[in-house]
């Protein structure tokens, strides 16, 4: 097997709290990403998905800081790399599509102007050639009449088209890794399906590796080959999508799957996870899921469970569900 | 067979274009209009039966909320009428009934941040004489408890609640008006999956215990399938399909319903994708196609489809479709519904 494109070990990111101390938004996250692989990063609001993405991009600003861990991209260690080195890689080797498309596109500039600027960040290209590359990038994500659309402003595009433009910009320099932060959440299902199908074809054809962030298990289940489930800053379970969804080992993953309407007969009560997610400033000392967990015992409340690995799967739970259950 | 309880008759809603001063002057001087009005809802007729939950699905901008607001009596139709038990829900441009109440997607927007939630819940019932002021506190406590909240929370401010709790407050406030019909507009769309299940369970419990009739608006088919008795599918301002939820969602009789179903992500346990896109884009509501609005994206479309909007007609007992070629879909044996894109 070829070495992973991205190898993340024990990534930890903290935000300083007012009045001292720090909240760990990302706590000991480890995973790796192979060439052409699509990994789905799922979790509920505030679980640390976006902060994980920003941390990988080197985009954490004070009062936040990456407090520890290693991130190897194409063999090079990013942790501790200077700003210059990070900037050279950002956009070219690793790119991110942000959760908020408003933050990505400038309403005052044409799409072509914005794409040429993104291009100029890493390559000097004559205007004509630049337009060719930009139009090709738009066409690749399914924008018809791409060449003519370069002169259009963002507001002249539908929401789905704007998101495609954001994806095209992320793909301009043919990076090896793209982190896509909920890129289709605000879109209609029919548009979402179009984009998912295009992205999967792209990964298969070009070897692009994707980290697809979503709160929607259903989206990720049919799209990603591997799934990472986050809860309160920790990856509590990861493994091949099929295996994780069929037989989750972590009670939280089980709870998420069971609470979907599809898991119950129409009209029957849904199985619900009691309570709500803990706030980062006041995490329980042990397993962060313990207060909501049907399997929790005294030991769960003592210290956060360490990761157990078994083949391609891993989980953080003292009393995991049985393998074949 | 239950009787029509709420009836919507040939209701349309047109929004006037927003014109700049220059455009208004030009229009007053007789210049041809630069902007067209937007028809958000077009000639919709339907009924909601006593005790049923009618699900309303469709993609963003198709007019679900606008229709829901007209049914709730908080938006005036441009044409047509809505009545509950024979009485209009609106009179003289104002809401004329307390028997319909609404729960919205964003409960924070509908709660006054400067009012304690207990007072916000008591406001309506006291004003309408459903409860006397001295009894209001106990009345509110009862509804909070019924919605899974600690009655002591009446003294808290909206910002002190989580998203799921706020939605419980909004439900308590709507129910404290003792409505017969509850219009829920995307009530769980902004909530986390694990909280969604809690709120859906609460709504289903309350509906059963209180004998409520519901209109449940959502873009999420799996949720609508779960809570609805019947379902209406909307596309570009029109109802394109209507029928029992189980049969419509198992075997749609309109190509758009089928496309929507196939593009919706479903939990896949074998790692294979379950979504198939509908080709093309939703046309602009400012310039809808002359015939069936779905024709430009539909692989079944024929010339007749492009001539005039097909009416919603009965294609099987209890099943209504606005597709001229519905027979192609209904004639299909179940489980063989195939992709309609032709792409
Ligand atoms: N700049 C910041 N300062 C302080 N705390 C922050 C900052 N950014 C994020 N956090 C905290 O880090 C935690 C993780 O946030 P993150 O945005 O990664 O969540 P998420 O999983 O992406 O959620 P969502 O699904 O809502 O996008 C949250 O508790 C959040 O409040
Ligand atoms: N007050 C308004 N003025 C002008 N246009 C409006 C107004 N309210 C809605 N519209 C337009 O009417 C159409 C239908 O909007 P509506 O909010 O009913 O759609 P929806 O189906 O609820 O969409 P969503 O799923 O995004 O909530 C849209 O094109 C919208 O832009
Ligand atoms: S460690 Fe304990 S509390 Fe945490 S998920 Fe496992 S059983 Fe539940
Ligand atoms: Mg996020
Ligand atoms: Mg709406």
């Amino acid at each position: 097997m070829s070495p992973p494109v991205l190898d993340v070990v024990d990534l930890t990111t903290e935000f300083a709290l007012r009045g001292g101390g720090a909240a760990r938004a990302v706590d000991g996250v480890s995973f790796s990403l192979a060439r052409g692989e699509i990994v789905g990063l799922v979790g509920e609001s505030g679980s640390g998905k976006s902060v994980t993405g920003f941390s990988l991009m080197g985009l954490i600003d004070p009062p936040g800081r990456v407090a520890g861990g290693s991130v190897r991209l194409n063999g090079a260690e990013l942790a501790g790399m200077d700003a210059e080195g990070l900037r050279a890689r950002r956009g070219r080797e690793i790119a991110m599509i942000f959760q908020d498309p408003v933050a990505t596109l400038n309403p005052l500039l044409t799409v072509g102007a914005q794409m040429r600027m993104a291009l100029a960040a890493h390559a000097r290209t004559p205007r004509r050639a630049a337009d060719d590359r930009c139009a090709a990038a738009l066409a690749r994500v399914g924008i018809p009449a791409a060449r003519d659309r370069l002169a259009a402003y963002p507001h002249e595009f539908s929401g789905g088209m704007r998101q495609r433009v954001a994806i095209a910009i992320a793909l301009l320099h043919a990076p090896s890794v793209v982190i896509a932060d909920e890129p289709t959440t605000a879109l209609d299902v029919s548009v979402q399906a179009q984009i998912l199908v295009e992205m999967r074809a792209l990964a298969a054809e070009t070897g692009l590796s994707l980290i697809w962030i979503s709160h929607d298990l259903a989206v990720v289940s049919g799209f990603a080959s591997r799934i990472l489930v986050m809860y309160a800053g920790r990856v509590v379970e990861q493994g091949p999508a099929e295996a994780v969804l069929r037989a989750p080992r972590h009670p939280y993953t089980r709870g998420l799957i069971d609470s979907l309407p599809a898991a119950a007969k129409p009209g029957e009560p849904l199985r619900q996870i009691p309570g709500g997610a803990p706030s980062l400033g006041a995490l329980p000392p042990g397993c962060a899921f313990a207060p909501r967990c049907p399997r929790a015992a005294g030991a769960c409340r003592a210290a956060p469970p360490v990761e157990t690995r078994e083949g391609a799967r891993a989980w953080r739970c003292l009393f995991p569900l049985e393998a074949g259950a | 067979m239950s009787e029509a309880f709420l009836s919507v008759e040939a209701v349309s809603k047109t929004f006037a274009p927003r014109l700049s001063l220059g455009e208004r002057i030009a229009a007053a001087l007789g210049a041809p209009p630069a902007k067209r009005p937007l028809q958000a809802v077009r000639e919709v007729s339907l009924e909601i039966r006593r005790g049923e939950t009618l699900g309303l699905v469709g993609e963003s901008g198709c007019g679900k909320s606008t229709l829901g607001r007209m049914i709730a009596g908080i938006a005036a139709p441009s044409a047509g009428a809505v009545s509950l038990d024979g009485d209009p829900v609106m009179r003289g441009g104002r809401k004329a009934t307390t028997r319909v109440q609404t729960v919205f997607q964003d409960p924070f927007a509908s709660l006054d941040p400067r009012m304690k939630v207990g007072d916000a819940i008591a406001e309506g019932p006291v004003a309408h004489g459903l409860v006397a002021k001295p009894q209001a506190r106990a009345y509110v406590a009862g509804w909070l408890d019924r919605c899974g909240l600690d009655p002591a929370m009446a003294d808290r401010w909206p910002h002190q609640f989580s998203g799921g709790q706020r939605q419980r407050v909004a439900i308590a406030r709507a129910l404290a008006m003792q409505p017969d019909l509850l219009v829920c507009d995307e009530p769980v769309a902004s909530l986390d999956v694990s909280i969604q299940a809690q709120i859906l369970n609460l709504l289903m419990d309350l509906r059963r215990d209180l004998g409520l009739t519901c209109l449940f608006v959502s873009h999420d088919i799996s949720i609508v399938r779960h809570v609805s008795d019947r379902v209406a599918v909307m596309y570009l301002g029109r109802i394109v399909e209507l029928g029992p939820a189980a049969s419509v969602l198992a075997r749609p009789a309109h190509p758009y319903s089928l496309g929507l179903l196939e593009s919706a992500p479903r939990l896949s346990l074998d790692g294979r994708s379950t979504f198939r896109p509908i080709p093309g884009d939703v046309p602009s509501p400012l310039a809808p196609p002359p015939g069936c609005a779905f024709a430009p994206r539909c692989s079944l479309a024929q010339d007749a489809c492009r001539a005039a909007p097909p009416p919603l007609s009965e294609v099987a007992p209890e099943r209504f479709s606005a597709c001229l070629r519905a027979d192609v879909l209904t004639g299909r044996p179940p489980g063989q519904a195939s992709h309609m894109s032709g792409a």
Side-chain angles (χ1 to χ4, degrees):
Chain A
M1 223 171 99
S2 53
V5 177
L6 184 72
D7 197 21
V8 181
V9 180
D10 258 342
L11 181 68
T12 298
T13 302
E14 298 181 340
F15 289 98
L17 292 175
R18 247 180 288 170
R24 288 210 163 156
V26 175
D27 189 358
V29 166
S30 303
F31 68 97
S32 59
L33 187 63
R35 190 178 139 79
E37 187 179 29
I38 304 179
V39 164
L41 179 56
V42 294
E44 295 181 282
S45 190
S47 58
K49 306 181 295 296
S50 296
V51 173
T52 299
F54 295 144
S55 305
L56 296 175
M57 290 289 292
L59 288 174
I60 297 291
D61 294 322
R65 65 179 191 110
V66 175
S70 149
V71 177
R72 295 182 78 85
L73 175 63
N74 294 317
E77 177 61 65
L78 301 188
M81 187 179 273
D82 59 12
E84 199 55 39
L86 282 178
R87 203 172 309 131
R89 281 172 173 78
R90 207 182 294 139
R92 211 179 51 187
E93 283 183 52
I94 185 166
M96 184 158 172
I97 302 160
F98 297 97
Q99 189 163 2
D100 180 7
V102 183
T104 312
L105 295 178
N106 182 333
L108 302 176
L109 294 176
T110 64
V111 162
Q114 301 189 50
M115 294 188 82
R116 284 191 298 272
M117 275 163 60
L119 205 54
H122 295 292
R124 206 175 293 235
T125 322
R127 170 74 188 249
R128 225 4 201 306
D131 278 354
D132 288 343
R133 267 183 78 176
C134 295
L138 289 179
R140 201 166 43 197
V141 293
I143 295 187
R147 183 104 210 179
D148 302 335
R149 305 305 288 273
L150 289 177
Y153 288 87
H155 75 261
E156 298 175 57
F157 289 81
S158 67
M161 285 292 171
R162 272 203 292 271
Q163 202 52 279
R164 279 170 217 251
V165 172
I167 294 170
I169 292 176
L171 295 175
L172 262 182
H173 295 284
S176 31
V177 176
V178 167
I179 304 164
D181 193 355
E182 307 253 12
T184 57
T185 300
L187 304 177
D188 278 324
V189 288
S190 71
V191 182
Q192 169 172 277
Q194 291 173 350
I195 291 179
L196 293 177
V197 166
E198 282 153 16
M199 292 304 282
R200 196 164 40 193
L202 207 69
E205 283 160 22
T206 67
L208 167 72
S209 307
L210 276 174
I211 300 174
W212 199 267
I213 297 178
S214 175
H215 67 278
D216 189 340
L217 262 183
V219 167
V220 165
S221 72
F223 181 62
S225 53
R226 231 144 41 80
I227 290 188
L228 271 59
V229 182
M230 276 191 99
Y231 190 79
R234 300 180 188 128
V235 171
V236 295
E237 172 150 23
Q238 62 174 300
E242 219 186 304
V244 168
L245 294 171
R246 247 189 234 271
R249 305 299 306 267
H250 198 285
Y252 175 63
T253 315
R254 173 89 269 162
L256 274 186
I257 297 169
D258 287 348
S259 62
L260 295 175
K265 284 208 188 79
E268 301 271 296
L270 300 167
R271 259 183 274 169
Q272 58 188 50
I273 305 177
S279 88
L280 281 189
L283 283 189
C287 170
F289 188 57
R292 306 173 74 186
C293 180
R295 298 170 82 85
C300 304
R301 298 184 186 95
V306 294
E307 193 168 66
T308 307
R309 289 192 171 264
E310 211 176 274
R313 299 188 60 174
W315 55 86
R316 287 177 185 266
C317 173
L318 297 181
F319 304 105
L321 297 146
E322 295 93 76
Chain B
M1 173 108 324
S2 2
E3 75 277 38
F5 178 46
L6 179 115
S7 88
V8 176
E9 281 161 69
V11 155
S12 295
K13 179 73 177 179
T14 306
F15 290 108
R18 289 199 192 92
L19 296 180
S20 66
L21 182 63
E23 286 164 333
R24 266 179 284 160
I25 294 171
L29 295 176
K35 290 182 185 157
R36 278 166 287 193
L38 185 147
Q39 243 197 303
V41 173
R42 297 159 178 269
E43 294 153 43
V44 166
S45 294
L46 56 80
E47 60 192 39
I48 306 178
R49 300 166 186 167
R50 194 186 297 275
E52 81 167 344
T53 294
L54 177 70
L56 182 58
V57 281
E59 295 179 283
S60 187
C62 70
K64 304 181 296 295
S65 294
T66 306
L67 179 58
R69 293 169 65 83
M70 291 191 289
I71 288 175
I74 51 183
S78 311
V82 179
S83 56
L84 182 69
D85 258 348
D87 297 324
V89 295
M90 259 191 141
R91 238 184 233 116
R94 304 191 56 177
K95 187 167 177 188
T97 176
T98 60
R99 297 178 62 198
V100 192
Q101 293 295 323
T102 322
V103 175
F104 294 103
Q105 171 173 352
D106 180 6
F108 208 44
S110 57
L111 287 173
D112 183 343
R114 289 153 307 176
M115 203 183 229
K116 287 184 179 166
V117 302
D119 298 336
I121 295 172
E123 199 181 23
V126 170
H128 286 92
L130 294 173
V131 63
K133 203 143 192 198
Q135 279 83 52
R137 238 192 119 70
Y139 185 76
V140 166
W143 281 112
L144 284 173
D145 183 50
R146 188 64 197 81
C147 292
L149 293 169
D150 180 352
M153 288 178 165
D155 290 322
R156 292 214 208 152
W157 305 94
H159 75 265
Q160 294 174 300
F161 290 82
S162 70
Q165 288 174 328
R166 262 181 248 155
Q167 202 53 291
R168 289 178 194 269
V169 171
I171 294 169
R173 189 165 78 144
L175 293 180
M177 291 299 289
Q178 304 178 16
D180 298 310
L181 174 68
L182 194 62
V183 174
C184 301
D185 191 353
E186 307 267 10
V188 297
S190 59
L191 303 177
D192 269 325
V193 188
S194 72
I195 309 299
Q196 258 186 23
Q198 297 175 1
I199 298 298
L200 289 174
N201 282 344
L202 173 66
L203 280 170
M204 290 190 293
D205 275 357
L206 290 166
R207 181 186 63 189
R208 192 192 46 232
D209 295 351
L210 304 173
L212 285 172
T213 304
C214 287
L215 175 70
F216 194 98
V217 176
S218 175
H219 66 279
D220 187 328
I221 293 179
S222 67
I223 292 177
V224 165
R225 186 200 319 263
H226 194 76
V227 302
S228 309
D229 300 305
R230 288 193 309 144
V231 59
V233 182
M234 238 178 141
Y235 187 71
L236 218 67
R238 289 183 199 277
I239 303 288
V240 296
E241 176 156 14
L242 176 68
S247 69
V248 169
L249 298 177
R251 219 168 134 191
H254 193 286
Y256 175 66
S257 320
L258 181 60
L260 197 59
L261 266 175
E262 292 193 328
S263 58
R266 259 164 296 163
L267 193 68
S268 149
L269 293 182
D270 55 9
R272 271 182 307 161
S273 122
T274 49
F275 36 76
R276 270 192 254 180
I278 308 175
D281 285 323
V282 180
S284 159
L286 292 172
C292 169
F294 191 61
R297 306 172 77 184
C298 181
S299 67
L300 293 179
Q302 294 176 329
D303 287 346
C305 306
R306 300 184 189 95
L312 190 65
S313 33
E314 190 154 19
V315 294
E318 285 283 284
R319 297 282 308 262
F320 299 83
S321 165
C323 173
L324 294 181
R325 308 202 62 202
D327 56 332
V328 179
L329 297 174
T330 52
R332 209 176 280 259
Q336 289 196 5
S338 80
H339 191 33
M340 300 311 301
S341 77

